[in-house]
């Protein structure tokens, strides 16, 4: 283990978090809020300490796979722990565990909250809370890769550990250029969302915060009513934005380099939109039949169904209605969408559509092999045969996912809450969704859980955002061996 380079990366992370905290300081100046002084003090501390620790580069700058995964896992623990401090010092979230829960939920773009009254927070803290979604959406380490010097392709190990999906495709030859390209697409789409919301008449503060949540597929709102208070036009804009950010960013890159035909051939993207349309149709019909008159018009019903399908499959977590009161069939579709998640290479969470496609194609291949034992067939995605290593990584992910899912439910069940609450709470945090069902539904919060149950859910949020392995490897004893 190259501890020196891991420490150097963490120092850079601390320094970057300090610079990012300057943004809520600016908001405090606009609204003349004293809480901004606390953020400014933390800015100075983070930049000073991070600057001193990162002043000297390690002699060995190579970042191998183990260092990459450990750096990413520890980096996300660091940003969650340090980013929570302002909430405690301002007194808005007195419990440090609760503050870490809120901050981890923000950076991991989960959107689960322990707050019963978000409007009680000052504008400075509300903005920081939403801004963590935008920062975490693309990844802190991806941002850092644009600035720190690279050594060959070693920094690709950082990107592999942080970027969602079963594999990282190199859009461009250099990792630094790759990171810049990702952020350009991300920034332009975010600005487009902000502009659309502003044109629709939404207040500028809400426009920025909601756009940050949609871009990072987070889900923190600035109103206790969530997104229900916004106009139908604004809800449509939010829905389209969420779904757009749930698309694999490779799709946008291919379109930018005039390879639109290749982009349209991406089976994952086609499956993603098909799932959204089918789920919206099924939920709309189910509610129309089971609860006629629940909505003023058919268009209101379709808009509500489309919004909730979009917010759940992209793992954003915004809400316009209390979907916990919907019929069981509709709720189960939403639960399946929680597990499904968005596309690989997007800002969304969940298992990812690509993994589900691979799993189904693998099952089809196995059944074909049983009928034709001598046949030799490869699992293919978009015409490309998948390597055994890629298939193995998908199977290992699904196994680890199931193990963490079941174990987390078992542990938090010790608190004595009902089964639906516990299952949906783990599904909401592990898949980075936000709200669940029952006591943790869209009109409720996670404050009901004890501190130790919240620690489990914090672990789930971080594990889900980092595709499990960068967090799990921290608990593997041989990880910390100097010789490996």
């Amino acid at each position: 283990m190259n501890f020196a380079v891991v420490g150097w990366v963490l120092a850079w992370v601390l320094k970057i978090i300090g610079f990012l905290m300057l943004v809520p300081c600016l908001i405090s100046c606009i609204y003349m809020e004293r809480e901004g002084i606390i953020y400014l003090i933390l800015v100075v501390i983070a930049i000073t300490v991070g600057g001193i620790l990162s002043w000297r580069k390690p002699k060995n700058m190579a970042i191998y796979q183990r260092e990459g995964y450990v750096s990413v896992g520890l980096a996300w623990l660091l940003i969650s722990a340090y980013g929570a401090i302002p909430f405690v010092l301002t007194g808005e979230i007195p419990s440090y565990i609760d503050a870490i829960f809120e901050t981890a939920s923000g950076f991991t773009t989960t959107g689960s909250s322990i707050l019963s009254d978000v409007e009680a927070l000052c504008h400075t803290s509300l903005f920081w809370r939403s801004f963590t979604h935008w920062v975490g959406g693309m990844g802190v380490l991806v941002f850092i890769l644009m600035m720190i010097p690279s050594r060959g392709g070693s920094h690709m190990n950082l990107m592999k550990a942080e970027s969602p999906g079963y594999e990282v495709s190199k859009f461009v030859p250099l990792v630094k250029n790759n990171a810049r390209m990702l952020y350009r697409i991300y920034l332009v789409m975010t600005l487009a969302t902000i502009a659309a919301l502003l044109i629709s008449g939404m207040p500028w503060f809400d426009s920025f915060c909601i756009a940050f949540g949609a871009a990072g597929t987070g889900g923190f709102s600035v109103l206790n009513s969530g997104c229900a208070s916004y106009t139908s036009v604004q809800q449509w804009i939010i829905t389209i934005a969420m779904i757009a950010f749930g698309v694999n960013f490779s799709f946008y890159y291919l379109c930018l380099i005039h390879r639109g035909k290749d982009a349209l051939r991406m089976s994952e993207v086609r499956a993603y939109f098909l799932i959204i349309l089918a789920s919206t149709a099924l939920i709309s019909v189910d509610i129309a039949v089971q609860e006629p008159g629940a909505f003023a018009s058919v268009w209101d019903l379709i808009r509500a169904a489309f919004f909730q399908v979009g917010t759940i499959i992209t793992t954003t977590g915004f809400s316009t209605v209390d979907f916990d009161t919907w019929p069981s069939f509709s709720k189960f579709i939403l639960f399946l969408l929680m597990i499904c998640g968005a596309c690989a290479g997007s800002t969304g969470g969940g298992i990812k559509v690509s993994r589900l496609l691979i799993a189904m194609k693998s099952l089809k291949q196995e059944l074909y092999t049983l009928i034709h034992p001598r046949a030799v067939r490869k699992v293919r995605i978009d015409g490309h045969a998948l390597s055994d290593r890629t298939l193995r990584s998908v199977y290992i992910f699904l196994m680890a996912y199931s193990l963490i899912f079941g174990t987390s439910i078992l542990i938090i069940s010790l608190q004595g809450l009902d089964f639906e609450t516990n299952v949906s709470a783990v599904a909401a945090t592990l898949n980075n969704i936000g709200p669940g069902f029952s006591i943790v539904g869209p009109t409720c919060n996670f404050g009901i859980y004890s501190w130790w149950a919240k620690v489990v859910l914090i672990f789930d949020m971080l594990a889900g955002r980092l595709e499990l392995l960068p967090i799990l490897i921290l608990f593997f004893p041989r990880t910390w061996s100097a010789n490996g």
Side-chain angles (χ1 to χ4, degrees):
M1 167 70 76
N2 188 351
F3 291 102
V5 76
V6 172
W8 185 75
V9 170
L10 293 179
W12 263 95
V13 170
L14 182 61
K15 188 163 57 173
I16 293 301
I17 291 302
F19 281 112
L20 292 173
M21 277 189 176
L22 285 171
V23 179
C25 289
L26 177 62
I27 299 300
S28 70
C29 293
I30 296 173
Y31 287 95
M32 303 296 290
E33 294 175 336
R34 294 183 178 180
E35 288 82 358
I37 298 173
I38 292 174
Y39 283 85
L40 185 59
I41 292 172
L42 292 171
V43 166
V44 174
I45 293 173
I47 294 176
T48 303
V49 175
I52 293 172
L53 295 178
S54 63
W55 183 259
R56 272 192 173 185
K57 289 192 295 185
K59 293 181 180 179
N60 181 8
M61 281 292 294
I63 301 176
Y64 300 104
Q65 186 162 280
R66 179 167 57 156
E67 284 79 8
Y69 275 68
V70 170
S71 296
V72 168
L74 292 178
W76 282 77
L77 289 173
L78 175 61
I79 62 176
S80 299
Y82 196 81
I85 296 176
F87 293 117
V88 178
L89 295 182
T90 58
E92 292 167 309
I93 306 180
S95 168
Y96 188 51
I97 293 294
D98 284 353
I100 292 179
F101 184 98
E102 199 75 12
T103 310
S105 180
F107 278 116
T108 59
T109 71
T110 302
S112 300
S113 179
I114 50 84
L115 297 171
S116 57
D117 183 12
V118 297
E119 295 179 32
L121 269 62
C122 63
H123 290 87
T124 306
S125 294
L126 271 178
F127 196 89
W128 172 242
R129 184 170 169 265
S130 295
F131 189 55
T132 57
H133 277 336
W134 192 82
V135 174
M138 189 56 67
V140 179
L141 272 296
V142 173
F143 182 77
I144 291 175
L145 284 173
M146 293 190 296
M147 294 174 288
I148 61 177
S150 61
R151 181 184 178 88
S154 63
H155 284 188
M156 180 56 72
N157 288 317
L158 284 175
M159 191 167 235
K160 283 181 179 178
E162 189 177 52
S163 300
Y166 63 91
E167 63 182 11
V168 175
S169 300
K170 295 186 180 181
F171 300 148
V172 287
L174 297 177
V175 176
K176 185 177 292 189
N177 292 339
N178 193 347
R180 286 173 179 167
M181 179 60 71
L182 286 171
Y183 258 100
R184 282 172 189 162
I185 297 171
Y186 190 51
L187 180 60
V188 169
M189 291 176 64
T190 304
L191 292 175
T193 303
I194 293 172
L197 291 174
L198 287 172
I199 292 171
S200 71
M202 184 180 289
W204 76 267
F205 185 84
D206 293 41
S207 297
F208 274 83
C209 291
I210 296 300
F212 290 154
T217 59
F220 281 154
S221 184
V222 295
L223 301 175
N224 291 331
S225 59
C227 292
S229 301
Y230 299 128
T231 65
S232 58
V233 172
Q234 290 164 352
Q235 289 178 11
W236 278 111
I237 293 172
I238 296 169
T239 306
I240 294 169
M242 291 187 296
I243 293 173
F245 281 99
V247 173
N248 192 322
F249 273 48
S250 299
F251 176 87
Y252 299 124
Y253 176 73
L254 290 173
C255 292
L256 283 175
I257 60 174
H258 307 292
R259 290 175 57 187
K261 290 183 178 180
D262 292 335
L264 294 175
R265 291 193 191 101
M266 294 178 67
S267 57
E268 180 188 31
V269 176
R270 295 201 306 270
Y272 169 71
F273 283 109
L274 180 61
I275 292 170
I276 290 174
L277 293 175
S279 299
T280 301
L282 288 171
I283 289 175
S284 298
V285 172
D286 181 48
I287 295 176
V289 173
Q290 300 261 11
E291 298 180 356
F295 290 88
S297 67
V298 174
W299 292 113
D300 287 341
L301 169 58
I302 293 174
R303 185 180 74 248
F306 191 46
F307 187 100
Q308 296 312 140
V309 168
T311 194
I312 295 298
I313 193 172
T314 60
T315 71
T316 305
F318 286 137
S319 61
T320 57
V321 296
D322 184 7
F323 56 78
D324 192 41
T325 62
W326 283 2
S328 297
F329 180 77
S330 296
K331 287 172 65 176
F332 188 66
I333 290 177
L334 293 179
F335 180 76
L336 293 177
L337 294 177
M338 286 183 180
I339 296 173
C340 172
C343 298
S346 71
T347 60
I351 289 179
K352 303 291 190 302
V353 175
S354 57
R355 285 197 181 97
L356 295 177
L357 284 176
I358 292 172
M360 288 189 291
K361 286 177 178 287
S362 297
L363 175 61
K364 181 181 177 181
Q365 182 204 37
E366 188 64 22
L367 293 174
Y368 186 86
T369 304
L370 290 175
I371 299 172
H372 305 282
R374 297 183 179 181
V376 178
R377 296 182 66 181
K378 285 280 190 179
V379 177
R380 294 179 176 273
I381 293 290
D382 300 333
H384 302 290
L386 299 181
S387 66
D388 291 339
R389 182 177 180 180
T390 298
L391 293 174
R392 186 185 67 177
S393 69
V394 171
Y395 303 150
I396 290 174
F397 175 89
L398 294 175
M399 182 184 69
Y401 176 92
S402 302
L403 181 63
I404 293 174
F405 196 100
T407 304
S408 298
I409 294 173
L410 187 65
I411 295 174
I412 68 172
S413 294
L414 293 172
Q415 188 168 336
L417 298 179
D418 65 275
F419 182 74
E420 184 179 4
T421 296
N422 291 328
V423 172
S424 64
V426 172
T429 51
L430 184 58
N431 297 299
N432 307 134
I433 305 292
F437 298 112
S438 190
I439 302 176
V440 292
T443 60
C444 307
N445 60 76
F446 286 70
I448 190 69
Y449 280 106
S450 60
W451 70 267
W452 52 267
K454 288 172 185 170
V455 170
V456 174
L457 297 176
I458 290 170
F459 170 85
D460 288 344
M461 287 188 283
L462 292 168
R465 171 58 181 83
L466 299 179
E467 304 286 326
L468 310 183
L469 296 184
I471 290 296
L472 291 180
I473 199 172
L474 300 180
F475 297 90
F476 190 56
R478 289 188 64 86
T479 299
W480 307 103
S481 171
N483 299 321

